[in-house]
Amino acid sequence: MIGLIGKKIGMTQVFDDNGKVVPVSLLKVGPCQVVQRKTLADEGYDAMQIGYEDIKESKVNKALKGHFTRHKSKYYRYLKEFRLKYYRDVEEDEIFDASMFVPNELIKVTGTSKGKGFTGVMKRHNFSGFESSHGVHESFRGPGSIGQCATPAKVKKGQKLPGHTGNAKVSILNVRVIKIDTENNLLMVKGSIPGHRNSLVYLSKEL
């Protein structure tokens, strides 16, 4: 597994070779530098830690400053570790960008979904609610009965109830790459990607 860090710019549409409209998400990916190379001999597993988005030295705390200095790296706002399964010819200071992807390949995209706040069961779990007549009053969007009378006299685990919705880590597999702009490090992938505009996304591929 090898990957990149990027940001979601928004959505648009393009036309394929057959003239059909394809909805795409536009992602600004990389360039990402390999800050640390972890090996099976030293850390017990093969991985690479990459950095994304340069920042000033004054924005870095003391612990991270020592980490970047030890590996002779620039200062980065975001760090992400990717496990290496097959492709292990990665060295520190190596740069990865949009050129590592090719059109029509399938990748994995991970992001943080939009937060919806505290929501009811109709919005959170797609409950149908109650009728607007026939004796129904006061509660029209509630969950209804959630217990089992005297036995076992408790609410079962996993009961669908109102609560916090969204703002969770979401991974989408087999996202197709439609178009690549290597000059500007832009990537167009088919369909929607979790998160709002300018939210952080992680792209990875088996290699």
Side-chain angles (χ1 to χ4, degrees), residues 64-131:
L64 276 177
K65 191 180 295 185
H67 177 71
F68 288 126
T69 304
R70 185 165 58 253
H71 294 282
K72 300 177 182 178
S73 167
K74 294 190 293 183
Y75 302 116
Y76 291 100
R77 188 182 304 276
Y78 305 107
L79 291 174
K80 172 69 175 175
E81 184 177 294
F82 289 94
R83 293 288 185 106
L84 299 175
K85 293 183 179 179
Y86 311 110
Y87 179 67
R88 294 191 173 93
D89 297 331
V90 178
E91 301 295 336
E92 292 186 359
D93 296 332
E94 194 171 340
I95 302 295
F96 291 94
D97 52 26
S99 61
M100 67 182 288
F101 300 105
V102 294
N104 289 321
E105 79 168 317
L106 301 178
I107 62 174
K108 173 184 174 183
V109 180
T110 302
T112 303
S113 62
K114 290 182 180 180
K116 308 290 184 180
F118 190 96
T119 60
V121 290
M122 292 184 70
K123 184 174 182 179
R124 191 184 191 204
H125 299 297
N126 200 30
F127 279 25
S128 59
F130 295 92
E131 295 181 3

Side-chain angles (χ1 to χ4, degrees), residues 26-197:
L26 190 61
L27 308 176
K28 173 76 173 178
V29 295
C32 297
Q33 178 187 347
V34 179
V35 176
Q36 182 183 7
R37 175 69 169 91
K38 297 187 177 182
T39 61
L40 188 64
D42 295 332
E43 284 81 16
Y45 63 97
D46 279 297
M48 68 170 188
Q49 183 190 73
I50 60 174
Y52 175 67
E53 199 171 293
D54 299 6
I55 56 174
K56 297 186 295 184
E57 183 179 351
S58 59
K59 299 285 186 180
V60 185
N61 61 38
K62 207 168 187 179
L64 276 177
K65 191 180 295 185
H67 177 71
F68 288 126
T69 304
R70 185 165 58 253
H71 294 282
K72 300 177 182 178
S73 167
K74 294 190 293 183
Y75 302 116
Y76 291 100
R77 188 182 304 276
Y78 305 107
L79 291 174
K80 172 69 175 175
E81 184 177 294
F82 289 94
R83 293 288 185 106
L84 299 175
K85 293 183 179 179
Y86 311 110
Y87 179 67
R88 294 191 173 93
D89 297 331
V90 178
E91 301 295 336
E92 292 186 359
D93 296 332
E94 194 171 340
I95 302 295
F96 291 94
D97 52 26
S99 61
M100 67 182 288
F101 300 105
V102 294
N104 289 321
E105 79 168 317
L106 301 178
I107 62 174
K108 173 184 174 183
V109 180
T110 302
T112 303
S113 62
K114 290 182 180 180
K116 308 290 184 180
F118 190 96
T119 60
V121 290
M122 292 184 70
K123 184 174 182 179
R124 191 184 191 204
H125 299 297
N126 200 30
F127 279 25
S128 59
F130 295 92
E131 295 181 3
S132 299
S133 60
H134 297 286
V136 177
H137 61 92
E138 295 179 357
S139 178
F140 295 93
R141 299 176 63 88
S145 176
I146 61 172
Q148 299 96 6
C149 195
T151 305
K154 62 182 179 181
V155 178
K156 63 181 179 181
K157 290 183 179 180
Q159 175 68 38
K160 293 180 179 179
L161 292 171
H164 188 270
T165 309
N167 196 29
K169 181 181 176 182
V170 179
S171 295
I172 302 180
L173 303 177
N174 298 325
V175 179
R176 187 174 298 278
V177 177
I178 301 298
K179 194 175 180 181
I180 304 169
D181 182 358
T182 54
E183 186 175 345
N184 298 305
N185 278 318
L186 295 175
L187 207 66
M188 287 186 181
V189 296
K190 186 176 181 180
S192 60
I193 297 301
H196 54 78
R197 286 190 182 95

